Amino acid sequence: MVCDDIDALAELAAAGAGITRLAAFVAAPYLRDGRLQAVFGADTAWRPEPMEVYFCVSDRRDFTAKIRALFEHLQAGMAPAWQV
């Protein structure tokens, strides 16, 4: 199954459609109530990797002071591993 909707992926996995990779904030309620089971537990060497996040403007001229301030605010709120 190919799907670009993380909520739909969570529901599909909870319904028994297979294994999926979910963001922690999406998986948490499913894990709490037992509808999903973690494949990689705390005892494994696997570590989550940061998602790729892109900040796009149509043209460099559109990267105004306001847009730059928004970019810097969003970047400052990200975990250090995600910051470029």
Side-chain angles (χ1 to χ4, degrees):
M1 165 93 33
V2 175
C3 181
D4 64 356
D5 183 320
I6 197 167
D7 295 312
L9 287 171
E11 286 295 325
L12 286 164
I19 297 171
T20 187
R21 180 178 177 181
L22 298 172
F25 70 91
V26 174
Y30 291 89
L31 294 168
R32 263 194 314 273
D33 66 18
R35 289 184 288 162
L36 288 180
Q37 229 178 352
V39 174
F40 295 107
D43 58 337
T44 64
W46 180 84
R47 297 286 180 256
E49 62 186 55
M51 294 173 28
E52 293 180 358
V53 178
Y54 298 92
F55 192 89
C56 302
V57 292
S58 58
D59 190 272
R60 286 192 181 272
R61 293 179 301 207
D62 297 332
F63 203 68
T64 62
K66 286 181 183 179
I67 299 298
R68 180 175 301 281
L70 173 62
F71 172 77
E72 290 171 357
H73 173 75
L74 294 173
Q75 189 178 37
M78 291 182 171
W82 290 28
Q83 295 182 14
V84 176

